Amino acid sequence: MNALYHRLNQPLDIAALAVFRMLFGALMFAGTLRFMACGWIEQLYVAPDFHFKYWGFAWVQVPGEAGLYLLYSGIAATAAMVALGAFYRVAIIGFWCLFTYAELMDVTYYLNHYYFVSLLALILCFLSPHRAWSVDAWRRPGLARDTLPAWQTWWLRFQVGLLYFYAGLAKAEPDWLLHAQPLNIWLPPLSGMPLLGPLLAEPWVHYAFSWFAFAFDTTIIAFLLWRVTRPYAFAVVLVFHLFTHLFFQIGLFPFIMVFAVLVFFEPDWPRRWMAFFRRLLPASITRLVSGPSPASGRGGQRGGWRPASAAFALAVAGFCLVQFLLPLRHWAYPGTVLWHEQGMRFSWRVMLREKSGSLNYRVVTDAGRTVLVPPHEYLTELQYREMAGQPDLVLQLAHHIRNDFNRRGHGPVEVYADSLVSLNGRPLKPMIDPQANLAAVEPGLADAGWITDAPSGPPTLHRRLQLTAAR
């Protein structure tokens, strides 16, 4: 056990984690300003009258417009402080709390990369990348270190590697590999792009991209861990995420992943790059950014396990175990997770399904009268598009409609859903049992028997459209 302790606490150059801190904070700062400047606060949180909640987090409320701007200003300010390393511990804890609260306000807008950002911020709460190249190290020279224990780097590597591992594992299924879905649906509309556009209408390109993405996700971490292949793997990372940025509207995700894989490089890579460019910089700037020499060896830890260090190590191991097991929970439910979506979130099943269709509710009042209720009476168009294919959100809105009708004196009411959904281009099929009274269904983790079985048979392959002029 002492050998494990010394391996985990082996001093590694702090430079890589210090740069990661700066890049992470700067990206979150820029992304938050972009979020506010694009008017997404009004579109996503002010305009809707109803907000969908994560199970167990109904207590997270959306503040008023002024409160929302204060919330996101706080996120931007703490992100900037993280980048600068100013009052780092307070800043990163504040950023995690504010950012996570913002993401919990409405489950409609769940994205894997927002979840990833929240996890990275939580991990950074326990790391010390502010001990070099930071305002804190400048204010308090005694805080400065040129090394950090190895476990800090490996914890980040584990979280980044886990995302890629499960993203690749999730693609090992027929729709993705055998039918090139949903890329076969998403790429043809992009055929008007310059240069690559005409190729995006070809089915063989959809298959090639599907298999490349599968191979990329399942192998990239192994190539990044091997020093010989690491530079080439990073080049592939850049190309892969360049295409995802060009083809899909997924915000900051490509940039987050490019910055995240930098933790797989040797911990001293920033110093070596600075040495390479040193001849191009004035000597005064070189001395400012170089920081303390790694040869001094400060920051190493001696000794063995103590109660506090052992308890912390067990807590980190528990966190990692939960992160490893959480994406597997969908196996506890019968059927296809892309259809019933129980265990879909927080499992790194990235861009695997395209759902479209229609949804309407039937409300039966206490007087026996049936009222047809379209979701648009309660939702914005964006909310409707996002929720129509997610059964737990269909149930949430059904409960909201029930409560609304009961409050107006029409209850107790029964609520039924007429939901027709296409999964990855298959024919439309009811997703919700039309005979299930959703007003009486309680949300939870149990198997949802009110969700129908997934459609059988393969999806339709959309072949290239051939247009010929009439004679």
Side-chain angles (χ1 to χ4, degrees):
M1 292 298 291
N2 280 339
L4 176 62
Y5 176 88
H6 289 294
R7 180 68 183 272
L8 292 174
N9 287 282
Q10 175 188 359
L12 299 180
D13 198 319
I14 193 176
L17 291 190
V19 169
F20 177 77
R21 182 207 80 229
M22 290 186 279
L23 293 175
F24 177 83
L27 184 62
M28 293 303 101
F29 174 72
T32 306
L33 293 184
R34 171 176 172 262
F35 190 91
M36 293 190 288
C38 289
W40 292 337
I41 287 179
E42 292 83 357
Q43 180 183 0
L44 303 184
Y45 297 112
V46 177
D49 296 320
F50 172 74
H51 294 279
F52 294 94
K53 300 300 180 184
Y54 289 89
W55 183 77
F57 288 91
W59 56 270
V60 178
Q61 298 300 308
V62 178
E65 185 172 359
L68 285 165
Y69 273 96
L70 283 174
L71 173 64
Y72 278 91
S73 297
I75 294 173
T78 52
M81 292 170 66
V82 169
L84 295 172
F87 303 96
Y88 170 79
R89 197 68 64 191
V90 173
I92 189 61
I93 293 173
F95 174 83
W96 178 75
C97 291
L98 295 173
F99 184 89
T100 303
Y101 186 94
E103 297 314 309
L104 289 174
M105 289 191 303
D106 196 325
V107 67
T108 314
Y109 315 119
Y110 168 84
L111 290 173
N112 283 286
H113 63 275
Y114 289 160
Y115 174 50
F116 185 54
V117 167
S118 185
L119 289 176
L120 289 180
L122 178 58
I123 293 171
L124 284 170
C125 290
F126 299 94
L127 310 188
S128 303
H130 62 303
R131 290 176 174 262
W133 301 341
S134 68
V135 172
D136 287 347
W138 172 74
R139 288 189 309 111
R140 300 167 55 194
L143 182 74
R145 297 287 186 274
D146 52 39
T147 65
L148 289 176
W151 64 264
Q152 298 200 16
T153 295
W154 281 102
W155 194 359
L156 285 172
R157 287 177 177 177
F158 168 82
Q159 193 62 61
V160 176
L162 199 70
L163 186 159
Y164 278 114
F165 170 75
Y166 277 117
L169 186 65
K171 292 179 176 64
E173 54 92 34
D175 273 19
W176 186 269
L177 295 179
L178 301 184
H179 306 293
Q181 294 290 14
L183 293 185
N184 183 244
I185 298 173
W186 293 341
L187 293 182
L190 303 177
S191 58
M193 289 181 60
L195 299 178
L196 293 176
L199 287 175
L200 299 181
E202 299 286 352
W204 70 266
V205 174
H206 312 155
Y207 280 96
F209 281 176
S210 294
W211 278 90
F212 174 72
F214 168 71
F216 173 83
D217 285 339
T218 52
T219 63
I220 193 63
I221 295 302
F223 288 123
L224 286 169
L225 286 170
W226 190 18
R227 187 169 186 171
V228 174
T229 56
R230 190 177 296 142
Y232 309 103
F234 184 66
V236 174
V237 168
L238 292 176
V239 172
F240 179 84
H241 288 295
L242 172 64
F243 282 124
T244 59
H245 176 67
L246 292 175
F247 295 161
F248 310 112
Q249 299 298 318
I250 51 178
L252 298 178
F253 183 69
F255 302 97
I256 294 169
M257 296 314 300
V258 169
F259 292 165
V261 299
L262 292 175
V263 300
F264 288 91
F265 281 80
E266 296 300 320
D268 65 341
W269 72 263
R271 296 188 200 275
R272 288 187 282 110
W273 274 95
M274 285 192 296
F276 178 78
F277 289 108
R278 184 170 297 172
R279 291 170 299 179
L280 307 178
L281 296 174
S284 58
I285 297 179
T286 300
R287 287 193 299 270
L288 177 64
V289 302
S290 293
S293 169
S296 65
R298 290 186 297 160
Q301 297 189 25
R302 299 182 178 86
W305 295 106
R306 297 180 180 178
S309 60
F312 179 73
L314 287 175
V316 172
F319 173 89
C320 293
L321 181 62
V322 169
Q323 288 300 311
F324 181 79
L325 295 177
L326 196 61
L328 302 176
R329 70 192 189 281
H330 71 91
W331 291 109
Y333 303 98
T336 303
V337 65
L338 298 182
W339 181 254
H340 61 64
E341 306 228 356
Q342 292 190 278
M344 182 73 176
R345 299 185 193 101
F346 316 116
S347 63
W348 312 120
R349 307 184 73 82
V350 182
M351 303 180 69
L352 289 177
R353 52 104 167 97
E354 170 66 25
K355 282 181 171 177
S356 59
S358 63
L359 170 67
N360 276 295
Y361 291 94
R362 287 176 286 117
V363 178
V364 181
T365 67
D366 60 343
R369 187 167 63 97
T370 299
V371 181
L372 297 181
V373 180
H376 290 91
E377 290 189 9
Y378 296 90
L379 306 178
T380 65
E381 180 62 29
L382 176 60
Q383 284 181 305
Y384 173 73
R385 291 201 307 267
E386 292 295 330
M387 65 80 66
Q390 301 184 55
D392 62 327
L393 303 191
V394 174
L395 178 63
Q396 276 196 50
L397 184 57
H399 284 194
H400 182 68
I401 294 172
R402 175 199 65 190
N403 296 339
D404 185 35
F405 271 74
N406 289 344
R407 185 172 57 252
R408 288 188 278 159
H410 301 294
V413 299
E414 299 175 357
V415 182
Y416 302 89
D418 296 318
S419 171
L420 290 175
V421 174
S422 169
L423 173 63
N424 286 342
R426 291 177 175 84
L428 291 168
K429 180 185 184 298
M431 184 178 68
I432 308 298
D433 181 357
Q435 304 304 317
N437 176 19
L438 299 183
V441 175
E442 291 301 322
L445 302 179
D447 175 33
W450 46 276
I451 304 174
T452 64
D453 294 335
S456 58
T460 301
L461 177 65
H462 299 272
R463 299 189 178 278
R464 183 178 184 182
L465 182 64
Q466 298 286 346
L467 299 178
T468 57
R471 293 186 177 180

Short mmCIF file of all heavy atoms in Angstrom, two decimals, residues 50 84 97 113 126 143 243 296 349 366:
data_model
loop_
_atom_site.label_atom_id
_atom_site.label_comp_id
_atom_site.label_asym_id
_atom_site.label_seq_id
_atom_site.Cartn_x
_atom_site.Cartn_y
_atom_site.Cartn_z
N PHE A 50 -43.23 27.33 -18.14
CA PHE A 50 -43.07 26.06 -17.43
C PHE A 50 -41.67 25.53 -17.69
O PHE A 50 -41.16 25.63 -18.81
CB PHE A 50 -44.12 25.06 -17.90
CG PHE A 50 -43.92 23.67 -17.37
CD1 PHE A 50 -44.20 23.36 -16.05
CD2 PHE A 50 -43.43 22.65 -18.20
CE1 PHE A 50 -44.01 22.07 -15.56
CE2 PHE A 50 -43.24 21.37 -17.72
CZ PHE A 50 -43.53 21.08 -16.39
N LEU A 84 -7.39 33.21 -14.05
CA LEU A 84 -6.30 34.02 -13.52
C LEU A 84 -5.66 33.40 -12.29
O LEU A 84 -4.57 33.83 -11.88
CB LEU A 84 -6.81 35.42 -13.17
CG LEU A 84 -7.31 36.27 -14.34
CD1 LEU A 84 -7.98 37.54 -13.83
CD2 LEU A 84 -6.17 36.60 -15.29
N CYS A 97 -20.75 25.63 -8.09
CA CYS A 97 -22.09 25.78 -7.51
C CYS A 97 -23.01 26.54 -8.46
O CYS A 97 -24.15 26.11 -8.72
CB CYS A 97 -22.01 26.51 -6.17
SG CYS A 97 -21.22 25.55 -4.85
N HIS A 113 -21.90 17.85 -22.71
CA HIS A 113 -20.72 18.65 -22.40
C HIS A 113 -20.96 19.60 -21.23
O HIS A 113 -20.02 19.97 -20.53
CB HIS A 113 -20.20 19.39 -23.63
CG HIS A 113 -21.11 20.39 -24.24
ND1 HIS A 113 -22.08 20.05 -25.15
CD2 HIS A 113 -21.18 21.73 -24.10
CE1 HIS A 113 -22.70 21.14 -25.55
NE2 HIS A 113 -22.18 22.18 -24.92
N PHE A 126 -10.80 20.18 -5.88
CA PHE A 126 -9.90 19.43 -5.00
C PHE A 126 -8.46 19.42 -5.50
O PHE A 126 -7.60 18.81 -4.87
CB PHE A 126 -10.41 17.99 -4.84
CG PHE A 126 -11.77 17.90 -4.23
CD1 PHE A 126 -12.90 17.84 -5.03
CD2 PHE A 126 -11.94 17.92 -2.86
CE1 PHE A 126 -14.18 17.78 -4.47
CE2 PHE A 126 -13.20 17.85 -2.29
CZ PHE A 126 -14.32 17.78 -3.09
N LEU A 143 2.84 30.00 -1.36
CA LEU A 143 1.89 29.06 -1.93
C LEU A 143 2.43 28.38 -3.18
O LEU A 143 2.00 27.28 -3.53
CB LEU A 143 0.59 29.80 -2.27
CG LEU A 143 -0.57 29.01 -2.86
CD1 LEU A 143 -1.23 28.16 -1.78
CD2 LEU A 143 -1.60 29.96 -3.48
N PHE A 243 -14.37 18.76 -37.48
CA PHE A 243 -15.53 18.33 -38.25
C PHE A 243 -16.81 18.39 -37.41
O PHE A 243 -17.87 18.78 -37.92
CB PHE A 243 -15.32 16.93 -38.81
CG PHE A 243 -14.43 16.89 -40.02
CD1 PHE A 243 -13.29 16.11 -40.05
CD2 PHE A 243 -14.74 17.65 -41.14
CE1 PHE A 243 -12.47 16.08 -41.16
CE2 PHE A 243 -13.93 17.62 -42.27
CZ PHE A 243 -12.79 16.84 -42.29
N SER A 296 13.78 22.34 -8.62
CA SER A 296 13.82 22.57 -7.18
C SER A 296 13.10 21.48 -6.41
O SER A 296 13.38 21.27 -5.23
CB SER A 296 13.18 23.93 -6.86
OG SER A 296 11.81 23.93 -7.20
N ARG A 349 -23.83 8.90 -23.95
CA ARG A 349 -24.38 8.39 -25.20
C ARG A 349 -24.57 9.60 -26.13
O ARG A 349 -25.66 10.17 -26.23
CB ARG A 349 -25.68 7.64 -24.96
CG ARG A 349 -25.54 6.55 -23.90
CD ARG A 349 -26.81 5.75 -23.73
NE ARG A 349 -27.02 4.85 -24.83
CZ ARG A 349 -26.45 3.65 -24.95
NH1 ARG A 349 -25.62 3.22 -24.01
NH2 ARG A 349 -26.69 2.90 -25.99
N ASP A 366 -63.68 15.52 -14.51
CA ASP A 366 -64.53 14.78 -13.58
C ASP A 366 -65.96 14.67 -14.10
O ASP A 366 -66.72 13.79 -13.67
CB ASP A 366 -64.53 15.45 -12.20
CG ASP A 366 -65.03 16.88 -12.24
OD1 ASP A 366 -65.08 17.47 -13.35
OD2 ASP A 366 -65.36 17.41 -11.16
#
